[in-house]
Amino acid sequence: MNRIEIITGVERRRRYSDEERAAVLAMCDEPKATIVGVAKRLGMSPGLIHGWRRMRREAEKLSSEPLQFIAYGSVAEPAGQALAPTPMAPPPAPAQHTVAEELTRPHPGARPGAIDIDLPSGIRLSVDSYVNEKALARVLRALRDVA
């Protein structure tokens, strides 16, 4: 054992900007470049670069998919009854918001972009503009596959 390494300070995680990540990924995309070679040259973990490449592929895949409406089917109105439209609350007055307030869902009565889907089984699926699009797509696909 010829080498002894003494760590004198506290090591912290390195934060990389989007520009730095793009530059590293561009180096990896060069002809005859390998992720391991680029990682060694920059003193980085190859696993970190692999993760960035995976995230880039997923982002490109999502951005290339066109947005589409997933048709589930039509809902028949009960005989002699018409469904009353759900009243929409007036939009709130503009105000100064903090980031935490913007991420918090407002009072259940104020639902911007509300959509109510009544299924023939009697189940009502209600979502608003705060719904996660991926989660909603998974739910609609599951409902479509069950039907």
Side-chain angles (χ1 to χ4, degrees):
M1 190 180 249
N2 295 337
R3 181 176 167 206
I4 297 175
E5 185 175 340
I6 300 173
I7 300 173
T8 58
V10 178
E11 290 189 34
R12 300 190 182 210
R13 279 189 187 205
R14 170 83 160 81
R15 303 268 184 214
Y16 295 94
S17 67
D18 291 338
E19 293 80 20
E20 290 172 316
R21 291 178 187 190
V24 171
L25 291 175
M27 284 189 219
C28 293
D29 291 339
E30 292 175 0
K32 296 187 180 181
T34 63
I35 290 178
V36 173
V38 171
K40 283 183 181 178
R41 191 169 7 138
L42 299 175
M44 300 172 68
S45 166
L48 181 64
I49 299 174
H50 280 290
W52 291 349
R53 288 186 71 187
R54 181 178 27 81
M55 287 190 304
R56 180 177 66 177
R57 277 193 309 270
E58 290 172 2
E60 287 171 351
K61 186 175 110 177
L62 287 176
S63 66
S64 67
E65 291 179 2
L67 296 177
Q68 61 181 345
F69 176 74
I70 301 172
Y72 178 73
S74 61
V75 178
E77 291 183 8
Q81 290 182 333
L83 296 175
T86 305
M88 292 293 295
Q96 301 259 342
H97 295 292
T98 64
V99 173
E101 288 173 341
E102 289 177 4
L103 295 177
T104 305
R105 183 177 172 168
H107 184 274
R111 295 178 49 211
I115 301 172
D116 292 325
I117 304 168
D118 292 325
L119 302 175
S121 62
I123 295 173
R124 172 176 271 188
L125 177 64
S126 299
V127 296
D128 57 25
S129 62
Y130 293 96
V131 69
N132 180 302
E133 290 89 1
K134 286 183 179 180
L136 179 60
R138 283 193 304 264
V139 168
L140 292 174
R141 269 191 238 105
L143 290 173
R144 180 187 62 206
D145 293 342
V146 171

